[in-house]
Amino acid sequence: MSLLDTRVPAVLLRIDRNPFHHGTLGAVRSLGRAGVDVHVVADVTGSPLRRSRFAHRLHPPPPPGASPADIAAVLLGVAARIERPAVLIAMDDAGAVAVSRLRAELAPAYLLPQQPGTLPERVADKAELAGLCAAADLPHPDTVVPESAAQAASAVRRLGLPVVAKWSRPWLLPAGSGLRSTVVVRSPQEARDLYARSEEAGSRLLLQEFLPPGPDGDWFFHGYADRSGRVRGGGPGRKLCSWPRGAGLTAVGEWTANPQVQAQSERLAAALGYRGIFDLDFRRCGASGRYHLLDFNPRPGAQFRLFADTAGLDVVRAQHLDLTHRPLPEGEPRPGRSFVVENYALPAALRPAPHGRELAWYAGDDTAPGLAMWGLWTAHVARRLLGRLRRFGPVGSPVGTPAASARAVRRTAPPPPSVTGPSGAPGAPDPTDPSDGQDPALTHGPVPPPPSG
């Protein structure tokens, strides 16, 4: 008998258009295996997810650039077809922000955590996060928010090259703009050029000190803060392999005990009064040993199924149980368990896993998505390679793209004060993109999947 109330369906919302988001498939399988009817509101064109036997029904998503009213209309239309209250789980930052804004309109039809209305938007905003970390006395990379192109160039001189540049609200980046949520800036002129595109990006530019990746440097924490504020359904994990290296999604991760990361995560959630699912990313400073918070995602991370404990509890099951007033089982952690995304780390998927392993795409009780993934991925890679070849000229340089070179820096006004203050330790590029790293081309790298911002 399922521990979950199977009379209550679940609705998964994903606004971005990435067809290879394995986290959504993980949520479909986790809830579907427990006997819950899972409705997916997402673009699944060309996605392996549409083959899953655990997806009860697929619904068209809001159109690109949809307004809050458009999103509300789509979700209320789905609720009308279901004809009973459902647990609503946003699978990307854009969806989480939209749901938090629309809470009053959606609450009659959906079960939602009792979350302060603006909190998901504040934690997802990278500029806001810097201030929240400072208030909570949590290590965070020294961050500057320039107010002019001159200040951006001057901030680079202060922070030291290379510098990490981020857009504060990456889910607003327009498709086809070529803008990435996170890039490494290697000259003051590059910072100026990025700042000049702020209006196009739709949000503020941040500049942070760069902390080089190193062994055991990248960590994450997944959890669900229940109605009482207790964090359940997750734990700390270590990123063993990313794509691209040092700046992309988790290709191989391992559940690893880390009391410091766990304590920092639970302390921040309590300080904010956060309720619901969250996914945090940390980078350890080799010099100080401190764990700096890089990202706070108010939704499930793509590898959340890594943290299924001995009772089968994970963050999406925790939310369904909690919102339907069911008790959450007390399982034991499973340290050493691994998570592998096969299309990025196939050798790791084939090696023995004595402590257990979760694959992103293949599952013995749901084989069709895993098989479909390879055909769809091969076609996708071929299209991307062909597109790149067409953009390159005969000498191997992108057609019409001038060579990048650093320019002399004129004397400018001093940079604005740091949002976080001097931390004594450098920062790092986000290990994830706006949709938990499903666009691994944060800086560069071959054949990335399409942008998910």
Side-chain angles (χ1 to χ4, degrees):
M1 181 179 296
S2 176
L3 294 175
L4 279 67
D5 188 342
T6 57
R7 298 169 300 177
V8 180
V11 174
L12 307 180
L13 170 66
R14 187 168 182 84
I15 291 178
D16 74 54
R17 289 328 203 231
N18 188 348
F20 294 104
H21 187 261
H22 49 268
T24 306
L25 176 61
V28 168
R29 285 171 168 167
S30 179
L31 295 169
R33 285 167 178 153
V36 173
D37 288 347
V38 184
H39 296 255
V40 181
V41 182
D43 184 356
V44 295
T45 305
S47 172
L49 185 150
R50 66 183 301 119
R51 309 291 182 86
S52 176
R53 72 184 187 90
F54 293 113
H56 180 74
R57 186 170 177 182
L58 305 175
H59 303 265
S67 67
D70 293 332
I71 297 171
V74 168
L75 290 174
L76 292 175
V78 171
R81 289 191 288 274
I82 295 175
E83 297 183 325
R84 48 188 167 147
V87 172
L88 177 59
I89 302 176
M91 298 302 300
D92 61 351
D93 288 345
V97 170
V99 169
S100 70
R101 290 180 179 179
L102 298 167
R103 179 182 175 81
E105 295 175 59
L106 299 176
Y110 290 103
L111 306 180
L112 300 167
Q114 293 290 331
Q115 187 81 272
T118 62
L119 188 54
E121 190 166 359
R122 293 177 66 201
V123 298
D125 187 308
K126 298 179 190 302
E128 291 273 353
L129 181 62
L132 293 173
C133 286
D137 193 26
L138 198 72
H140 185 275
D142 190 13
T143 301
V144 172
V145 184
E147 297 180 358
S148 68
Q151 286 188 354
S154 190
V156 167
R157 295 194 309 172
R158 170 192 154 182
L159 296 171
L161 291 171
V163 169
V164 178
K166 304 177 180 180
W167 298 107
S168 63
R169 299 188 171 200
W171 62 90
L172 298 179
L173 293 175
S177 67
L179 292 169
R180 300 295 186 187
S181 63
T182 303
V183 296
V184 176
V185 169
R186 303 188 184 278
S187 73
Q189 186 59 44
E190 288 183 24
R192 285 177 174 272
D193 293 343
L194 272 179
Y195 183 86
R197 303 185 69 180
S198 296
E199 184 175 353
E200 180 186 1
S203 65
R204 293 177 289 177
L205 179 70
L206 286 74
L207 299 172
Q208 291 181 345
E209 288 186 277
F210 175 70
L211 180 63
D216 295 334
D218 289 323
W219 292 76
F220 47 86
F221 185 91
H222 295 190
Y224 172 76
D226 66 16
R227 285 171 291 140
S228 69
R230 184 183 177 190
V231 176
R232 305 288 302 278
R238 184 165 54 110
K239 186 181 291 191
L240 302 182
C241 177
S242 62
W243 181 259
R245 291 182 181 178
L249 63 84
T250 299
V252 183
E254 182 183 87
W255 192 341
T256 307
N258 189 320
Q260 190 172 345
V261 167
Q262 180 141 357
Q264 288 185 196
S265 303
E266 293 177 350
R267 180 161 60 87
L268 179 60
L272 297 175
Y274 189 87
R275 298 293 184 270
I277 298 172
F278 62 95
D279 162 31
L280 309 182
D281 293 297
F282 294 86
R283 180 162 285 179
R284 180 179 180 273
C285 173
S288 67
R290 303 173 81 201
Y291 293 88
H292 290 247
L293 181 64
L294 303 180
D295 214 7
F296 190 127
N297 302 302
R299 40 75 180 170
Q303 68 271 25
F304 79 91
R305 280 292 299 166
L306 169 65
F307 300 107
D309 64 17
T310 55
L313 188 68
D314 58 36
V315 292
V316 299
R317 289 188 178 185
Q319 177 159 324
H320 196 284
L321 287 163
D322 186 48
L323 297 184
T324 55
H325 297 265
R326 292 287 184 106
L328 277 65
E330 297 286 349
E332 296 295 325
R334 300 166 68 185
R337 190 168 189 258
S338 65
F339 182 89
V340 180
V341 186
E342 304 96 297
N343 49 320
Y344 290 115
L346 183 58
L350 300 176
R351 288 195 290 265
H355 301 289
R357 175 171 53 214
E358 181 90 9
L359 297 178
W361 298 109
Y362 179 78
D365 61 347
D366 190 29
T367 59
L371 296 173
M373 183 275 295
W374 288 114
L376 293 167
W377 183 253
T378 300
H380 166 71
V381 170
R383 287 193 301 269
R384 294 300 296 261
L385 285 174
L386 183 60
R388 289 192 173 198
L389 289 173
R390 288 172 176 168
R391 290 197 302 270
F392 277 77
V395 295
S397 298
V399 175
T401 302
S405 60
R407 301 181 183 179
V409 182
R410 294 190 181 94
R411 301 182 67 178
T412 62
S418 167
V419 174
T420 58
S423 63
D430 276 349
T432 57
D433 89 324
S435 309
D436 195 33
Q438 294 308 293
D439 175 10
L442 299 181
T443 54
H444 51 74
V447 294
S452 52

